[in-house]
Amino acid sequence: MRRRIRATATAGALLASLAIAPVPVLAEAAQPVTRVDRTGLGWAPCKDLEPQGDEALECATLTVPLVRTAGGDRVPGADETVELALSRVRATGTSQRTLLVNPGGPGSGARRWASITHQRMPEELREVYDVVAFDPRGVGASTPAISCDPDYFTPVRPDTVPADGAEEAALRADAQAYAEACAENTGTLLAHTRTEDTAHDMDAVRRALGEDRIDYLGYSYGTYLGTVYSSLYPDRVRALVLDSVVNPDNPWYESNHVQSRSLQRAAQNFFDWVARHHDTYRLGRTGDEVAEAYYDLRSEARRNPIEDTVGPTELETAVIVVTYTSSTWPGVARALSTRINDGDAAGIVTLHKAFGDHADSDQSYGGYLAVQCTDAHWPTDWSAWRSDALLAHEEAPFIGWHNAWYNAPCLNWAAGSGDWFQVGDAPHEHRAYTGPALIVHATEDGATPVEGAHALRDRLPGSVLVIEDGGHTHGVAFTGNECVDQIVTDYLLRASLPDRRTTGPDLICASRPEPRPSTRREDLKAVAEGAGAAIPELPGEPG
C-alpha cells in the first residue's frame, strides 16, 4: 500500500461461462451542494505528461476548496484552495460516458492512468468512453504539493530489522524526524488529505466534467476511495468497479499487519516457483532453500552493501515487486541468480533503480502518510507498535519490520487522526452504497489479501464478487484475463453482472498461466522499464 511499481502483465486466460443478469439503472438525483471555485475544464495538450501510445492526451486543472464541511461544502471564511491536475483521453468514437480511474496508493499520482487504462481497454469501450484521471491533492502535479525530506532515502539506509536497542532507537528517531519534516515543509495541507477529502474532490471533478453520474474504476487503495465516494454520493454513481480490495473492516494499522502476512505468502509463492525451476536459476530445489538463499543475500548486503548502494532495506524494497505480479518473477529470479551464483550485481542494481525508493519518492511517501496517518487512529504507545512488529517479523520476516517502520511516522504525525470511514448498516457506520457494483480480486494477491474482497461484498448489498482463482496479480481488470475483462466490459457497456449468490464468490475465472523461466537479459529489462503497463499502488506497506 505504498509503492509505485511498474511491471509487465501476463496475457492469456481461460474464459469462464457467464451467468448474466440485467442491473437496474439508478434514478437521476438533484445536484449536490459541493461548491468549487470553477466549473468547466480548459482541456489542452499535456505539457508534462506523455501518452502510452498514439492517443491524444489532454490535461486541465480544477480549483477546489482546501477545507470542506463533512457534507462537502466550502467552510465559510476558509479561502485556501487546491489545484487538482487532471488528464483525459477522449473516446475514439462518439463519447457517451466518462470512466474515472484511480490506481491506488495513497500518495500516488494518477494522471498517467487515463492513458494506461485507455490502452488496456477493449476497442468497444474505447469507442464510447472518455477516460479521466486526476492527481489527488498534494501529489503529482496537483498543488500545493506535499514535501518532507528527500534525503531520507539516501542509500545505504539503516537495516529495517534492528539488531539491538540502539538501532531500534535510531530508526524511531528517523521516523519521528520525517514526520516533523512533513509538518514543517507542507503545513496545513496535511490536515486535509483524508480519503473523504479526495472523495469530495472526485465529485467536484464529476461536476466540472458536466456529468450527472460517473463510472469509476479503482484499484487497490482506489477501492477504498470508491467505497467512500459511493457512500457519500450514491446517486452520482452509474458503475463501480473495485479491483484488488482494501478490507473495509481493517483500519490502516490493522491492515498493514495483515498485509505483512499476505506479502509473506506471496513471496513464498515466488520462492516456490523459483525452486520448481532450479535447473534455470540454481537457487534451491525447495521454496525454503530459495528463501534461505535470499535471506543470506540480505544478510550479506547488511555487512557489505551491493555496489555501495543496495543494503538490506534497498534490497527488500526492490524485490518486493514479486508480491505484486508473477510477470516479474523471471526478471527478479535472474537478478538474484546472477548475483548469488555469479557475483554479478548489475541485475540487483537495476531492480533498485527501477523499484527502490529515491529522493523523488519523497512526495509519494509523504502523500501516503498524509492519508494513512489521518484516516484512522494509530496506537500512541511505541510498546504496542514494537510488540506487533516483533510478532510480524516472526511470522512474516520478508517484510514485517519494514512495514512497521514504513508507517512509524504516524506515531508522531502532527495533523492528528480521525475515525475510520466504516460503511455498513450499524448505527455508528456510514450507509453503504446499495447499487450495482463489481468487485474483482485474485486469490494470491499479496498486497491486498483476498479476504478483503469477501468483506466488501458483505458490506455492499448490490455487489458481485469475481475471483481470479490462483491469480498472482495485484490489479486484475484489463491486464489480460479474458474472463475478467469480459465481465468488466459487459458491466460498463450493458449494466450486466453475473448473478449474486447467497455467499461469494459469485463467479470464478481461471488464472492466467504462470510465467516460464528464462535467463534472458530482456526479462529483467522488461520488468525494470514496465513494458508500457503498470501495477496499481496500494495502502499500507507497501501499497
Side-chain angles (χ1 to χ4, degrees):
M1 305 161 195
R2 57 96 173 156
R3 307 197 60 244
R4 288 183 309 217
I5 296 184
R6 298 185 179 93
T8 315
T10 55
L14 297 177
L15 181 62
S17 60
L18 305 182
I20 301 298
V23 175
V25 177
L26 296 176
E28 294 298 325
Q31 285 287 338
V33 295
T34 302
R35 292 177 52 189
V36 295
D37 293 310
R38 178 161 56 87
T39 59
L41 295 165
W43 294 105
C46 298
K47 297 180 180 180
D48 61 341
L49 192 65
E50 295 294 328
Q52 293 292 304
D54 59 359
E55 71 275 12
L57 184 62
E58 302 173 299
C59 287
T61 59
L62 176 66
T63 304
V64 298
L66 172 67
V67 185
R68 289 192 178 95
T69 65
D73 291 326
R74 177 191 297 278
V75 174
D79 297 327
E80 292 181 275
T81 59
V82 171
E83 292 285 338
L84 300 177
L86 294 82
S87 66
R88 178 178 68 176
V89 177
R90 298 298 302 269
T92 58
T94 302
S95 175
Q96 299 178 22
R97 297 165 187 162
T98 296
L99 182 66
L100 186 62
V101 182
N102 182 278
S108 304
R111 284 189 307 156
R112 64 191 181 95
W113 276 79
S115 182
I116 290 171
T117 304
H118 174 85
Q119 286 287 314
R120 289 177 167 185
M121 290 164 57
E123 181 56 35
E124 58 184 326
L125 291 179
R126 290 198 295 265
E127 287 179 356
V128 297
Y129 269 98
D130 292 346
V131 184
V132 174
F134 71 95
D135 289 339
R137 52 176 57 203
V139 301
S142 294
T143 56
I146 291 171
S147 176
C148 299
D149 178 14
D151 292 338
Y152 182 79
F153 304 96
T154 301
V156 174
R157 297 167 63 191
D159 191 345
T160 57
V161 180
D164 52 35
E167 289 191 359
E168 180 182 326
L171 287 162
R172 282 188 61 193
D174 287 347
Q176 179 173 346
Y178 193 83
E180 292 170 350
C182 291
E184 180 178 354
N185 296 325
T186 301
T188 57
L189 175 64
L190 290 188
H192 305 287
T193 57
R194 286 171 56 87
T195 297
E196 292 101 307
D197 293 308
T198 302
H200 290 312
D201 290 345
M202 280 178 57
D203 202 62
V205 170
R206 177 198 61 77
R207 291 189 63 206
L209 291 168
E211 298 283 354
D212 289 330
R213 294 183 298 161
I214 59 170
D215 294 10
Y216 176 77
L217 171 59
Y219 295 97
S220 193
Y221 165 76
T223 66
Y224 180 61
L225 175 61
T227 299
V228 172
Y229 177 81
S230 64
S231 175
L232 293 172
Y233 298 96
D235 295 332
R236 294 307 175 188
V237 178
R238 177 190 173 273
L240 189 67
V241 182
L242 306 175
D243 189 328
S244 304
V245 173
V246 171
N247 194 321
D249 298 335
N250 289 343
W252 294 133
Y253 181 80
E254 292 82 356
S255 178
N256 281 298
H257 284 297
V258 172
Q259 187 196 50
S260 291
R261 275 76 171 178
S262 68
L263 290 171
Q264 182 70 36
R265 294 191 294 271
Q268 191 62 47
N269 287 334
F270 166 69
F271 295 145
D272 291 342
W273 177 86
V274 175
R276 292 195 294 274
H277 302 290
H278 174 72
D279 291 346
T280 300
Y281 298 113
R282 301 172 291 145
L283 290 174
R285 296 188 181 278
T286 69
D288 288 344
E289 289 177 352
V290 176
E292 183 178 1
Y294 167 75
Y295 291 124
D296 285 346
L297 177 63
R298 190 190 185 285
S299 297
E300 179 186 338
R302 177 185 172 103
R303 297 189 300 271
N304 299 295
I306 300 168
E307 298 294 302
D308 295 323
T309 301
V310 180
T313 298
E314 287 78 18
L315 180 65
E316 60 194 7
T317 301
V319 173
I320 199 172
V321 69
V322 302
T323 66
Y324 283 74
T325 173
S326 59
S327 67
T328 64
W329 291 358
V332 175
R334 180 186 184 278
L336 293 173
S337 176
T338 54
R339 174 60 181 81
I340 293 171
N341 293 312
D342 307 322
D344 182 355
I348 296 296
V349 173
T350 297
L351 285 178
H352 167 65
K353 289 180 179 178
F355 303 117
D357 288 322
H358 308 279
D360 61 1
S361 303
D362 180 58
Q363 186 192 77
S364 59
Y365 181 40
Y368 163 87
L369 293 169
V371 175
Q372 293 236 332
C373 296
T374 59
D375 254 0
H377 301 299
W378 297 73
T380 58
D381 186 347
W382 173 249
S383 63
W385 287 70
R386 184 176 189 274
S387 176
D388 289 336
L390 287 170
L391 181 59
H393 178 67
E394 180 180 349
E395 298 179 357
F398 183 73
I399 208 69
W401 259 119
H402 186 127
N403 206 347
W405 293 119
Y406 200 86
N407 293 280
C410 291
L411 182 63
N412 301 103
W413 201 249
S417 60
D419 293 333
W420 179 249
F421 192 103
Q422 178 70 68
V423 298
D425 54 12
H428 66 284
E429 296 175 339
H430 299 268
R431 185 183 179 191
Y433 177 64
T434 59
L438 176 60
I439 301 172
V440 180
H441 211 112
T443 59
E444 304 304 311
D445 179 6
T448 50
V450 69
E451 291 80 8
H454 291 273
L456 185 59
R457 179 190 182 277
D458 292 342
R459 293 278 178 176
L460 303 182
S463 65
V464 168
L465 172 59
V466 175
I467 289 293
E468 184 187 35
D469 188 30
H472 297 273
T473 298
H474 179 63
V476 183
F478 303 139
T479 59
N481 187 311
E482 295 176 8
C483 170
V484 172
D485 291 349
Q486 187 62 58
I487 294 169
V488 175
T489 299
D490 285 339
Y491 175 48
L492 293 177
L493 276 184
R494 291 172 278 277
S496 297
L497 282 174
D499 290 327
R500 182 177 167 104
R501 300 175 183 271
T502 303
T503 59
D506 301 293
L507 192 142
I508 297 175
C509 290
S511 65
R512 290 154 286 184
E514 285 188 345
R516 296 180 178 179
S518 174
T519 58
R520 299 181 307 163
R521 290 182 178 273
E522 289 78 8
D523 293 319
L524 181 57
K525 182 180 180 182
V527 171
E529 294 181 350
I535 304 170
E537 355 274 315
L538 63 148
E541 159 58 49

